[in-house]
Amino acid sequence: MSAPTVAPTVAFDVFGTLADPASYALGLRPHTSEPEVIAASWRRYQLEISWLLTAAGRKLDWSTVTAQALDMALAATHVQLGEQQRAAALERVAVPELFEGVPEVLDELVGRGVRMAVFSNGDVGGLDRILAEHGIADRFEEVVGCSEVGAFKPAPETYRHLAARLEAPLEGIWLVSANPFDCAGAALVGMRVAQLASPASPKYPFAPEPELVLDGLAQLPEALPWE
Amino acid sequence: MSAPTVAPTVAFDVFGTLADPASYALGLRPHTSEPEVIAASWRRYQLEISWLLTAAGRKLDWSTVTAQALDMALAATHVQLGEQQRAAALERVAVPELFEGVPEVLDELVGRGVRMAVFSNGDVGGLDRILAEHGIADRFEEVVGCSEVGAFKPAPETYRHLAARLEAPLEGIWLVSANPFDCAGAALVGMRVAQLASPASPKYPFAPEPELVLDGLAQLPEALPWE
């Protein structure tokens, strides 16, 4: 009998995984009658712009992508915001709420000796601010943002950059993400993937299936294997 | 006074530009109660997969992308098709109807001396078949498909491949497309762009605006400048 001795290394996606996308609607609520509709369009355009920029070999800061996506969502829904209202909506998204129970799950993982990093499309300064304002910065050994790379997820170089920052092979790192395109990109480069999935999450047939599919972050500590 | 003497070189996108996306719904109509809903989802996933593959540095044939996108759209709408029904829907999309008046506009452009190519995400064999079945193959000097390149639009190498095939500089080629992401990708590499746009067409703020914005293909012969 051999007892498992090596603690896993885990990289957490942020938007949609640790942080609640409800923030997109919250900042719009005071100014529009359909905050959820605009918020869904905003999030879609944010991803669409990031994919198109990466496919086109171009790079912008995540904050710029986020602002351009808001403008596209407003144009699509024929809603106009004043400059201050727009700035307030962007500020609201800059520091989103965490999902319920996130700090507790992170603490449990730290207690088990899991090595943890944040790995997001976001700009590093913005990520540091989110972690600081929620008081969870000290749970993570590294904060890796795609602003350090000339591309967004699912570009292979973003995952390779993560592995370089963690000084670990891709095959030795778990991605934990609720974003199916992120899970697909990680699986394609050989990372281990724990996807937080709902029945509505699309499955991309071009990528290997995730090794773990969980209903939520709370299941992670028990599900994560030691080797 | 100097008379314009150089006929423009024009590369036409196919799906949504010369060919009618209604084909996505037509092949589903006999088998489902919501063909338009599934068709819209199918088209979205087709683009999404092509962008994600390109961002991830992976390539599949367009026919495979199309089949995977149909399966995703069916899963998202909880509709099941038999193997023959699925094959029939894919076959229907393989040779879509042209928009009304397309052959006449192409003839007018040929008559004015415009040099024309087809330039699509599609597989070259599939494109040849579309042009042959509609009897318009002889209007085009080249048929350029992204199956010849390891990426889909808006990857810069797809536009550079087009320019190489046409032996013309990117700045000397017009892209005619109804797909905003295609117009964005072409503008980013310095092509001239005539976008077929509706009020609902999104504008991507990260790319230069198209030089021409037309309501439809019929406006192209008059709008296209000679230099």
Side-chain angles (χ1 to χ4, degrees):
Chain A
M1 197 186 108
S2 66
T5 50
V6 180
T9 298
V10 178
F12 290 90
D13 174 55
V14 175
F15 297 99
T17 301
L18 300 180
D20 191 343
S23 309
Y24 290 79
L26 286 177
L28 298 166
R29 192 157 295 160
H31 315 301
T32 74
S33 58
E34 291 188 311
E36 273 77 17
V37 174
I38 304 172
S41 173
W42 183 3
R43 175 65 175 157
R44 269 218 69 83
Y45 278 125
Q46 189 185 40
L47 294 178
E48 192 169 304
I49 291 173
S50 73
W51 300 340
L52 287 172
L53 283 170
T54 301
R58 299 286 177 132
K59 184 72 197 299
L60 294 173
D61 286 344
W62 187 245
S63 58
T64 306
V65 170
T66 302
Q68 292 192 353
L70 173 57
D71 293 338
M72 290 185 72
L74 293 171
T77 49
H78 306 288
V79 171
Q80 294 198 320
L81 292 189
E83 198 48 48
Q84 280 191 325
Q85 296 174 335
R86 179 175 175 277
L90 290 170
E91 169 65 12
R92 191 71 193 69
V93 161
V95 186
E97 296 300 308
L98 299 183
F99 283 114
E100 210 184 310
V102 163
E104 291 74 10
V105 173
L106 295 176
D107 283 342
E108 189 177 344
L109 290 164
V110 168
R112 292 184 185 217
V114 174
R115 188 183 172 215
M116 304 199 294
V118 154
F119 172 53
S120 164
N121 270 337
D123 309 317
V124 174
L127 294 172
D128 283 339
R129 188 178 161 209
I130 293 170
L131 301 180
E133 296 208 7
H134 289 297
I136 56 171
D138 60 354
R139 272 72 161 184
F140 301 101
E141 191 174 309
E142 300 285 347
V143 177
V144 182
C146 290
S147 60
E148 301 167 357
V149 189
F152 294 115
K153 302 175 186 181
E157 56 265 43
T158 62
Y159 303 99
R160 290 196 197 111
H161 176 73
L162 169 73
R165 284 284 308 277
L166 293 177
E167 296 181 348
L170 282 165
E171 309 74 41
I173 307 171
W174 283 86
L175 175 77
V176 176
S177 176
N179 286 302
F181 73 93
D182 189 12
C183 295
L188 282 171
V189 295
M191 287 179 71
R192 305 183 75 170
V193 175
Q195 181 169 3
L196 311 184
S198 73
S201 300
K203 272 191 194 179
Y204 291 111
F206 59 81
E209 301 223 359
E211 193 169 333
L212 291 177
V213 178
L214 309 176
D215 291 334
L217 205 64
Q219 298 180 353
L220 189 64
E222 283 303 314
L224 213 53
W226 283 44
E227 270 143 30
Chain B
M1 197 184 107
S2 64
T5 50
V6 180
T9 298
V10 178
F12 290 90
D13 173 57
V14 175
F15 296 100
T17 302
L18 300 180
D20 190 344
S23 309
Y24 290 79
L26 286 176
L28 297 166
R29 193 157 297 160
H31 316 302
T32 74
S33 58
E34 291 189 309
E36 275 76 19
V37 174
I38 303 172
S41 173
W42 184 2
R43 175 64 175 159
R44 269 218 69 83
Y45 278 125
Q46 189 185 40
L47 294 178
E48 192 169 304
I49 292 172
S50 72
W51 300 340
L52 286 172
L53 283 171
T54 302
R58 299 287 176 132
K59 183 72 196 301
L60 294 174
D61 287 344
W62 187 245
S63 58
T64 306
V65 170
T66 303
Q68 292 192 353
L70 172 58
D71 293 337
M72 290 184 72
L74 293 171
T77 50
H78 306 287
V79 170
Q80 294 199 320
L81 292 189
E83 199 46 50
Q84 281 191 325
Q85 296 173 335
R86 179 175 175 277
L90 290 171
E91 170 65 13
R92 190 71 193 70
V93 160
V95 186
E97 296 300 308
L98 300 182
F99 284 115
E100 210 184 310
V102 163
E104 292 74 10
V105 173
L106 296 176
D107 283 343
E108 191 178 342
L109 290 163
V110 168
R112 293 183 183 215
V114 173
R115 188 182 172 217
M116 304 200 293
V118 154
F119 172 53
S120 165
N121 269 339
D123 308 317
V124 174
L127 295 172
D128 283 338
R129 188 179 162 208
I130 293 170
L131 302 180
E133 295 207 9
H134 289 298
I136 57 170
D138 61 353
R139 271 71 160 186
F140 301 101
E141 193 175 306
E142 301 285 347
V143 176
V144 182
C146 291
S147 59
E148 301 166 358
V149 189
F152 294 114
K153 303 175 184 181
E157 54 265 44
T158 62
Y159 303 100
R160 290 196 197 111
H161 177 73
L162 169 73
R165 285 282 308 276
L166 294 177
E167 297 181 348
L170 282 165
E171 308 75 42
I173 307 172
W174 284 87
L175 175 78
V176 177
S177 176
N179 287 302
F181 74 92
D182 189 12
C183 295
L188 282 171
V189 294
M191 288 180 72
R192 303 182 75 171
V193 175
Q195 182 169 1
L196 311 185
S198 72
S201 300
K203 272 190 193 179
Y204 291 111
F206 60 81
E209 301 223 359
E211 191 170 337
L212 292 176
V213 179
L214 308 176
D215 291 334
L217 205 64
Q219 297 179 352
L220 188 65
E222 283 304 313
L224 213 53
W226 284 43
E227 269 142 28

